[in-house]
Amino acid sequence: MIKSTFTPILWNFPSKPRTPKLFFSSVISSSLSHTPQTVRQNASPDLTATMPPPQFSPTSAYIHLPFCRKRCHYCDFPIVALGSCSSQTDDNDPRISNYIQLLCREINATKVGYKTNSPLVTVFFGGGTPSLVPPRLVLSILNILRMKFGLSLDVEISMEMDPGTFDAKKMNELMELGVNRVSLGVQAFQDELLKSCGRAHGVKEIYEAIDIVKSCGVENWSMDLISSLPHQTPEMWEESLRLTVEAQPNHVSVYDLQVEQGTKFGILYTPGEFPLPTETQSANFYRMASSMLSGADYSHYEISSYCKDGFECKHNLTYWKNKPFYGFGLGSASYLGGLRFSRPRKMKAFTDYVQNLENGKVDCWGNNHVDAKDLALDVLMLSLRTAGGLDLKLYREAFGCSLVQSLCKAYKPYMESGHVICLDEQRRATNIEEFNTLLLNENDIGSRLAYFRLSDPEGFLLSNELISHAFGVIDS
């Protein structure tokens, strides 16, 4: 799902954030807030040792609820299309109830990797369209999670919800169960774009959904938008952003369309060719989003995410901070004990997987040992997609001063162009003259530079190229 091709923006999502797939199959879970053991402290960038990640239990769980009314033209997610007539009134569909039973079996059969486990602090119901699932079945999932792992008192429980799939009654029932964050799949504010994308809702349903969320008192809610759609004009994109700001969500996610093979868009269109925008046009859409949302006091805290103060998505920060997490359900991925493990995308194969898990034939936990080079790549690329950037102190302690020195040299041209910003411990920017002076002395680099971050929006727009340069340094 997450690609480095087509547009200059790193990791574009076709609609909604999901458990991220990284560039390397063996990238390993860690956390910048838990310093890994030192690896050849003053070694060259050739990292060949292995190192165990910190011993702490996952505190986040992603739950895949794959049901949709129909498949959107850009979607390649594992879903079950219920039919365009399905709505919030469906309560006894055996396809849903049978899947939820299977999902609960998977959760119950999952091995807990540590003797001491912290309760879950985030739960994210993604899909699909989770708001099609009856609240009583959502409760059964939360009950099994509570029994198996525990839920913290202030747990963030997020649910993706599409306009036209819930009413005030369902929203209130979900809130009573503990759902306290809503991600509303708006995508666009033009009926013609929504129809051309195969969306099951129109603009009228968008406004109805916004009214329901507000009237029910949901304090933490987000809106998703997609840019670079076929026939989308700058005026349309500006209108969608303006109407989003007027709706006053606490959080906004902006994704650039990714044309996937096997989707209807993949059959109809060639990336970069009309009616899809060029790379330059896509970049201008991104710049417009950054300007308008930042101007409306949304913090651009992650490459595709904006929020009001204090409303970052805690669950997605689990991914960007490279922490371990559980994944449950069709096609979902988990990151446990140093192993990224994906479930089957087909229902029959997923059913067999759950049976094998119950019979002890499947173990989705790793052995808690990681390759240092993979870890260095993983931490860097995840950190640079956030506004906080890469913590050079922790990175130096983990992978050695020499690697940090080499990265500084590789990024020098981008410091000069303004795409990369270096910060001191007070997060004050270092100008290029100061940077060049520090670069002459490895000790100064280690003691006086604290963070690397990409500039907004130009650095984020060049993130693929900037990450590639870092890969070259680490992989040399």
Side-chain angles (χ1 to χ4, degrees):
M1 170 176 58
I2 300 173
K3 304 292 184 182
S4 59
T5 57
F6 174 39
T7 70
I9 304 169
L10 178 68
W11 293 341
N12 304 302
F13 297 82
S15 69
K16 304 172 183 176
R18 298 290 189 271
T19 301
K21 300 175 185 176
L22 305 183
F23 291 118
F24 298 88
S25 61
S26 58
V27 286
I28 304 303
S29 175
S30 177
S31 171
L32 294 184
S33 62
H34 295 76
T35 305
Q37 294 181 3
T38 300
V39 178
R40 299 169 64 196
Q41 187 72 25
N42 294 305
S44 71
D46 181 19
L47 303 173
T48 57
T50 60
M51 55 189 297
Q55 299 294 310
F56 61 100
S57 63
T59 57
S60 294
Y62 172 82
I63 312 296
H64 190 67
L65 302 180
F67 307 102
C68 286
R69 287 180 285 183
K70 61 179 183 176
R71 182 179 289 277
C72 298
H73 298 341
Y74 49 73
C75 175
D76 74 336
F77 302 145
I79 70 162
V80 176
L82 300 176
S84 57
C85 293
S86 299
S87 70
Q88 69 269 24
T89 61
D90 295 321
D91 197 48
N92 296 299
D93 192 318
R95 292 170 293 182
I96 298 179
S97 56
N98 290 342
Y99 174 82
I100 299 302
Q101 183 181 33
L102 185 65
L103 179 69
C104 290
R105 286 171 54 195
E106 181 196 5
I107 296 171
N108 190 54
T110 297
K111 182 179 71 174
V112 178
Y114 300 99
K115 293 182 179 179
T116 302
N117 291 277
S118 302
L120 298 177
V121 297
T122 74
V123 176
F124 195 103
F125 290 100
T129 307
S131 47
L132 287 172
V133 176
R136 62 180 177 83
L137 296 180
V138 174
L139 175 61
S140 66
I141 300 170
L142 290 172
N143 282 342
I144 196 73
L145 289 173
R146 185 177 288 106
M147 179 184 70
K148 185 73 176 183
F149 306 109
L151 299 177
S152 68
L153 294 177
D154 59 347
V155 59
E156 176 193 85
I157 302 178
S158 300
M159 176 172 284
E160 293 179 343
M161 307 181 74
D162 279 1
T165 64
F166 64 98
D167 55 15
K169 179 177 182 293
K170 176 179 276 190
M171 186 74 258
N172 282 320
E173 288 176 353
L174 290 170
M175 292 175 67
E176 289 173 1
L177 300 182
V179 174
N180 52 22
R181 185 177 184 277
V182 169
S183 180
L184 197 60
V186 170
Q187 317 311 1
F189 275 88
Q190 297 79 32
D191 278 320
E192 60 269 38
L193 288 184
L194 294 170
K195 185 176 181 180
S196 69
C197 290
R199 297 292 290 176
H201 71 265
V203 174
K204 177 177 177 288
E205 287 77 20
I206 291 175
Y207 285 113
E208 290 173 349
I210 292 172
D211 287 342
I212 292 169
V213 168
K214 288 185 173 182
S215 66
C216 290
V218 180
E219 296 182 0
N220 189 358
W221 66 287
S222 177
M223 287 173 60
D224 293 351
L225 297 176
I226 306 180
S227 64
S228 303
L229 293 169
H231 299 289
Q232 188 178 41
T233 66
E235 291 76 21
M236 290 176 174
W237 182 232
E238 187 276 337
E239 180 182 48
S240 289
L241 290 167
R242 176 175 54 80
L243 293 173
T244 295
V245 170
E246 290 178 5
Q248 299 181 319
N250 309 108
H251 188 283
V252 181
S253 294
V254 175
Y255 305 115
D256 197 78
L257 176 69
Q258 182 70 44
V259 178
E260 303 284 357
Q261 292 184 355
T263 64
K264 187 169 183 178
F265 276 0
I267 296 171
L268 293 175
Y269 305 125
T270 300
E273 295 183 6
F274 184 82
L276 294 178
T278 64
E279 288 191 2
T280 298
Q281 291 168 328
S282 292
N284 286 334
F285 282 142
Y286 189 82
R287 292 185 179 101
M288 187 186 298
S290 176
S291 175
M292 290 185 65
L293 293 172
S294 297
D297 294 326
Y298 288 90
S299 173
H300 195 179
Y301 74 97
E302 186 269 329
I303 199 167
S304 59
S305 303
Y306 302 77
C307 72
K308 295 292 188 178
D309 186 36
F311 284 93
E312 296 87 352
C313 178
K314 295 178 182 178
H315 182 85
N316 284 346
L317 287 175
T318 296
Y319 304 147
W320 314 141
K321 291 182 178 181
N322 206 23
K323 294 181 179 180
F325 54 87
Y326 296 103
F328 300 108
L330 189 72
S332 67
S334 57
Y335 209 9
L336 304 171
L339 175 69
R340 183 175 293 278
F341 183 89
S342 294
R343 278 85 182 147
R345 292 170 58 91
K346 300 294 185 181
M347 193 64 73
K348 174 62 169 64
F350 177 65
T351 302
D352 293 341
Y353 157 76
V354 173
Q355 185 66 56
N356 288 332
L357 183 68
E358 291 175 324
N359 293 336
K361 297 179 181 179
V362 175
D363 184 3
C364 56
W365 278 82
N367 59 10
N368 289 320
H369 282 77
V370 310
D371 181 85
K373 185 182 294 185
D374 286 342
L375 183 58
L377 293 172
D378 197 10
V379 170
L380 182 136
M381 68 178 177
L382 289 169
S383 299
L384 289 187
R385 68 171 293 149
T386 68
L390 178 67
D391 188 320
L392 293 176
K393 179 180 180 181
L394 294 181
Y395 204 74
R396 184 176 64 253
E397 291 174 353
F399 306 112
C401 292
S402 181
L403 177 56
V404 173
Q405 180 87 355
S406 297
L407 288 172
C408 288
K409 291 178 180 178
Y411 279 157
K412 179 180 176 181
Y414 300 99
M415 275 282 296
E416 296 171 343
S417 64
H419 292 92
V420 174
I421 300 173
C422 289
L423 308 169
D424 63 18
E425 289 188 351
Q426 285 72 47
R427 302 199 71 89
R428 294 176 299 204
T430 301
N431 63 43
I432 189 61
E433 290 78 15
E434 293 173 313
F435 179 80
N436 286 334
T437 300
L438 294 174
L439 202 57
L440 298 174
N441 189 314
E442 186 172 292
N443 291 329
D444 285 342
I445 285 286
S447 61
R448 296 175 60 183
L449 287 183
Y451 304 95
F452 269 150
R453 69 175 300 271
L454 305 186
S455 61
D456 177 18
E458 300 305 322
F460 283 148
L461 282 167
L462 273 188
S463 54
N464 284 340
E465 181 177 337
L466 294 166
I467 296 291
S468 294
H469 272 284
F471 284 3
V473 172
I474 296 170
D475 202 36
S476 62

